[in-house]
Amino acid sequence: QVQLVESGGGLVQAGGSLRLSCVASGFIFNIGAMGWYRQAPGKQRELVAKITTGGTTNYADSVKGRFTISRDNTKNTVFLQMNSLKAEDTAVYYCNAITATVITYNYWGQGTQVTVSS
């Protein structure tokens, strides 16, 4: 089992910045890619950004140029730096980890609320 604990959410004005962190614990030696997803009220959960163990990143078009994902493998932590925040970025942000095993398992954090006021 892998446990993911997010932190760093909050209320910020449009144009501001926030940095989310997610610490993994448990069977962390199996972790492959990690990422951030978000879910706004009435909408489906969507990918925001993900990063492989080697550092390859992938972003949703809506956040490219504003958000940066990074990870510190020595601390089993993934970060999401969010700049130039917009009201439409308001959502619950979830950390995700996928195991690098033949049969993959998805793990999720409990979520952290990000609210951007316009």
Side-chain angles (χ1 to χ4, degrees):
Q1 290 285 343
V2 173
Q3 293 79 43
L4 302 173
V5 177
E6 303 107 333
S7 62
L11 173 64
V12 64
Q13 288 187 333
S17 299
L18 282 175
R19 189 188 195 210
L20 305 183
S21 300
C22 172
V23 180
S25 61
F27 289 149
I28 55 176
F29 53 87
N30 274 340
I31 292 177
M34 298 185 73
W36 291 92
Y37 288 70
R38 67 186 180 188
Q39 187 166 19
K43 295 187 177 181
Q44 289 189 334
R45 190 174 297 188
E46 62 175 2
L47 173 69
V48 176
K50 61 182 179 182
I51 184 168
T52 67
T53 53
T56 301
T57 58
N58 186 32
Y59 295 92
D61 288 342
S62 59
V63 307
K64 283 181 181 176
R66 300 188 298 122
F67 291 10
T68 302
I69 189 171
S70 60
R71 68 191 288 173
D72 183 341
N73 292 327
T74 65
K75 297 182 178 179
N76 309 310
T77 302
V78 63
F79 305 96
L80 184 68
Q81 178 66 43
M82 305 185 293
N83 298 327
S84 302
L85 283 160
K86 305 175 181 179
E88 50 263 44
D89 295 317
T90 296
V92 178
Y93 284 70
Y94 296 91
C95 179
N96 170 263
I98 300 176
T99 58
T101 49
V102 174
I103 299 176
T104 59
Y105 295 90
N106 258 299
Y107 294 97
W108 295 93
Q110 80 285 356
T112 185
Q113 176 70 46
V114 171
T115 303
V116 183
S117 62
S118 57

